[in-house]
Amino acid sequence: MRELRDDFPILRDRSLHYLDTAATSQHPECVLDAVRNYYETANANPHRGVYELAQRATDASDEARAAAARFLGCDDRELVFTRNATESINLVAYTWGRVNVAAGDEIAVYVAEHHSNMVPWQRLALEKGAAVRYMYPDEHGRLTEAELRRVINEKTRLVALAQVSNVLGLLAPVEKAIELAHQVGAVVMLDCAQSAPHMPLNLHELGCDFAALSGHKLYAPMGIGLLYGRFELLDAMPPFLSGGDMISSVHEYGAAWADVPRKFEAGTVDVGGQVGLRAAIEYMEKLGWEAITKHEAHLMELCLEGMAAIPGITVYGDADPRERYGVISFNVEDVHPHDVASILDADGVCIRAGHHCAQPLMDRLGIGRCCRASFGVYNTEEDVRSFLGSLKNVRSFMGYGS
Amino acid sequence: MDLRAIYNQVITENSRSKEHRHPVEGCTCSLEGVNPSCGDDITLQLRVKDGVIEDAGFLGAGCAISQASASLMIDLLKGRTVEEAKRLIDTFFKMIKGEISPEELEELEDAAALQGIAHTPARVKCAVLAWHTMEEALDK
Ligand SMILES: Cc1ncc(COP(=O)(O)O)c(C=O)c1O
Ligand SMILES: [Zn+2]
């Protein structure tokens, strides 16, 4: 693949080695231009005006939804615009969850979930007198079929699972999870926040019930996200937020809801963000999945290989680059992750340090915190070399023999 | 960024020091301080008698800066009166805010090695954790 750095204005600064795409991605110029162009040529309150300009805003919103549906392999009406993956998951917990989970029921949650696919289920369970039951990774950081079978049972109402963990970077056996969940009449809430940027998705083929993702990890602006829900499910669910735009009619003593998906989009939505999301999707489609996956797999392999050669580094989860997407979490012996991140920062290398919003997983790994390097389409071999070069010096810099 | 302004020799050495890393016998006050940004978590133990900090130690874990800072603080404040300690804590905060005179800086002894942190906002919380915890403990 051609080098993409120059497509991204922020990365034209060659001293910057941005390896924190899993937290949020950078944006290509075409996305920034699309947002600007929308506000310069098409901005009005969508769905609320009869004049021509308002129609342009409505069209921009509809076209963005259509682009996302094509990208994810589902129907337009099955996609709800939200602010981010967190809001998407909460929407399901507050609406589907409120009417479908009762005392004695169980919610199966992978312990490696991001807090956003865990805490809403804890709260729902508490409210309803249901139980959260955790699934655990094996010693290689993998979720096995046996573990799925151990936890998913007749009482399970929902299975919460990230397709790719934001810490371990490993692909979960989602097809198996969906099959087992459906066998017992449960639904699956798939968190695609970390998978959607790195692999093609086809939600209909996959057969999941709900899926959540965030635009800002996908080269789109912050503040725009998506919830996918199977039409029958969305159609049967009560609304989430209520007010303008989500109704078909309102009387003094009641209201009727708009059709799916607008039933779930109360108030004026972020059309600028939607337009940016569409531009980001089209940018990725133009690059093509084959080129993206090949490039990212190459960087992953290069990086893991280089890390294995540095003494005192522990990588979490199976270090096989073939089933790892986007992220490498690790620790440097004796050195706190925040010190590692500060030391790398001095060389312009941006990595994340902390608990990565996955504290129960950190507890399981017995570490509390770790460092994480993550990739996007714009990263280069030079970024990986700078990271490795900087990482090599961390221990001696802090006064430890290597 | 000049990394050695933050991770100078005093700091890296003190971050590894075990000298004050112990529970305090007959401790009169034990207080936990947490910095959620790094997950730095220290428990400060003091034995205060007749207005004097007779002994002090800390337990817990965190980044090099938080650990070095706790160690340097105890070096400076152990054996002092509560009143003096409070004044030095204020002086330390002045240094972090970049409002300190050369004379005051000298009073902080080795803890002056943390001065460089003032220019790294992301890590200031690590440097002040032990000092805030001490301040709170002395007010109890
Ligand atoms: C796997 C996973 N799920 C959910 C989220 C939450 O995303 P957001 O903060 O955009 O809602 C993240 C982001 O960190 C993530 O990595
Ligand atoms: Zn710290």
Side-chain angles (χ1 to χ4, degrees):
Chain A
M1 189 158 67
R2 77 184 163 89
E3 216 181 281
L4 303 175
R5 275 190 82 122
D6 285 338
D7 291 356
F8 294 76
I10 211 170
L11 300 177
R12 288 175 196 157
D13 171 1
R14 285 291 187 263
S15 66
L16 195 63
H17 301 287
Y18 188 74
L19 293 175
D20 198 18
T21 294
T24 197
S25 63
Q26 300 300 346
H27 306 96
E29 198 158 21
C30 60
V31 166
L32 304 173
D33 286 347
V35 175
R36 188 185 178 90
N37 184 54
Y38 165 76
Y39 282 112
E40 284 181 352
T41 65
N43 183 56
N45 204 315
H47 310 291
R48 283 190 196 173
V50 290
Y51 46 88
E52 207 263 346
L53 189 61
Q55 191 54 45
R56 265 186 257 163
T58 304
D59 290 348
S61 176
D62 292 348
E63 284 162 17
R65 201 189 308 269
R70 183 181 69 233
F71 184 68
L72 297 172
C74 62
D75 296 342
D76 299 15
R77 61 180 185 169
E78 294 174 311
L79 284 179
V80 179
F81 282 118
T82 61
R83 285 186 305 138
N84 48 41
T86 303
E87 184 176 301
S88 301
I89 294 164
N90 274 276
L91 192 159
V92 176
Y94 274 97
T95 62
W96 181 91
R98 282 262 169 86
V99 289
N100 287 286
V101 174
D105 287 345
E106 292 183 4
I107 301 170
V109 179
Y110 186 28
V111 79
E113 291 312 292
H114 189 280
H115 293 162
S116 66
N117 201 19
M118 179 179 284
V119 180
W121 307 121
Q122 292 176 344
R123 293 185 66 194
L124 177 66
L126 198 67
E127 184 186 315
K128 295 290 181 180
V132 169
R133 295 216 30 218
Y134 287 100
M135 303 177 280
Y136 298 104
D138 69 5
E139 69 272 25
H140 306 292
R142 292 191 183 277
L143 178 58
T144 62
E145 179 179 342
E147 182 63 8
L148 290 167
R149 286 186 186 279
R150 184 182 70 80
V151 174
I152 298 171
N153 68 71
E154 294 294 331
K155 287 189 201 152
T156 310
R157 296 264 61 86
L158 180 136
V159 177
L161 182 60
Q163 191 167 23
V164 169
S165 149
N166 67 315
V167 174
L168 299 169
L170 301 173
L171 191 60
V174 289
E175 287 90 348
K176 205 49 171 179
I178 292 166
E179 181 192 324
L180 293 173
H182 288 176
Q183 275 173 17
V184 297
V187 300
V188 176
M189 173 80 242
L190 204 59
D191 178 352
C192 298
Q194 296 294 347
S195 55
H198 302 295
M199 64 182 67
L201 289 181
N202 189 318
L203 296 174
H204 276 175
E205 244 171 54
L206 212 52
C208 69
D209 304 282
F210 297 108
L213 50 120
S214 287
H216 71 91
K217 295 180 196 286
L218 200 71
Y219 315 108
M222 287 185 173
I224 191 74
L226 287 168
L227 168 68
Y228 161 81
R230 266 200 298 119
F231 178 77
E232 300 74 23
L233 290 170
L234 289 182
D235 197 41
M237 276 153 59
F240 178 38
L241 303 176
S242 42
D245 277 320
M246 52 73 70
I247 46 85
S248 65
S249 66
V250 180
H251 313 285
E252 280 191 24
Y253 299 104
W257 316 135
D259 285 340
V260 164
R262 294 199 39 229
K263 175 168 79 175
F264 299 106
E265 294 174 354
T268 302
V269 293
D270 180 6
V271 181
Q274 297 172 5
V275 168
L277 178 62
R278 174 188 173 187
I281 285 170
E282 288 174 354
Y283 178 76
M284 291 178 78
E285 286 174 335
K286 214 185 284 168
L287 294 176
W289 279 116
E290 201 185 316
I292 293 173
T293 50
K294 198 171 146 200
H295 176 65
E296 291 182 351
H298 172 65
L299 294 181
M300 180 63 75
E301 198 172 332
L302 197 69
C303 196
L304 284 169
E305 217 176 80
M307 290 173 79
I310 303 174
I313 306 278
T314 306
V315 169
Y316 299 104
D318 206 343
D320 180 347
R322 282 165 306 182
E323 283 197 27
R324 189 180 261 280
Y325 293 87
V327 311
I328 305 175
S329 292
F330 64 96
N331 266 323
V332 179
E333 195 182 345
D334 300 319
V335 185
H336 189 279
H338 277 250
D339 295 318
V340 176
S342 279
I343 295 167
L344 266 58
D345 183 38
D347 293 329
V349 178
C350 310
I351 62 158
R352 174 95 183 267
H355 54 60
H356 311 288
C357 301
Q359 285 183 330
L361 175 64
M362 296 290 121
D363 291 344
R364 267 325 266 193
L365 296 171
I367 53 176
R369 323 239 137 196
C370 64
C371 305
R372 180 183 72 187
S374 57
F375 306 110
V377 290
Y378 37 65
N379 287 120
T380 60
E381 290 188 1
E382 174 58 27
D383 291 331
V384 173
R385 276 194 292 271
S386 296
F387 165 70
L388 294 170
S390 197
L391 189 61
K392 221 174 275 174
N393 294 327
V394 167
R395 276 178 53 77
S396 63
F397 183 85
M398 293 302 287
Y400 295 97
S402 54
Chain B
M1 180 172 71
D2 178 17
L3 208 51
R4 281 292 175 208
I6 310 168
Y7 294 96
N8 52 46
Q9 199 178 354
V10 176
I11 292 178
T12 54
E13 275 174 10
N14 271 276
S15 74
R16 280 170 287 153
S17 160
K18 300 270 182 282
E19 193 187 344
H20 302 300
R21 189 182 286 280
H22 54 72
V24 168
E25 221 173 288
C27 103
T28 54
C29 177
S30 173
L31 192 66
E32 187 183 19
V34 177
N35 163 20
S37 85
C38 273
D40 304 328
D41 185 341
I42 62 164
T43 297
L44 189 64
Q45 296 199 342
L46 305 177
R47 189 173 67 243
V48 180
K49 220 170 150 188
D50 304 328
V52 174
I53 304 170
E54 278 189 357
D55 196 9
F58 75 102
L59 305 164
C63 70
I65 293 168
S66 66
Q67 303 302 293
S69 184
S71 167
L72 288 163
M73 178 189 73
I74 292 174
D75 256 352
L76 182 69
L77 302 184
K78 197 161 98 174
R80 304 228 187 213
T81 65
V82 169
E83 214 169 309
E84 252 183 322
K86 283 187 175 173
R87 193 179 56 78
L88 286 166
I89 292 169
D90 281 340
T91 308
F92 181 84
F93 291 146
K94 267 173 129 179
M95 175 182 81
I96 294 294
K97 286 190 208 129
E99 299 166 354
I100 196 169
S101 69
E103 296 77 40
E104 288 173 312
L105 192 62
E106 218 156 275
E107 283 193 281
L108 292 178
E109 299 175 10
D110 273 357
L114 287 155
Q115 193 177 18
I117 293 288
H119 308 294
T120 315
R123 305 304 297 279
V124 164
K125 282 193 190 123
C126 311
V128 298
L129 175 65
W131 302 74
H132 275 306
T133 311
M134 179 66 101
E135 191 179 34
E136 209 181 314
L138 292 178
D139 279 337
K140 276 185 39 175

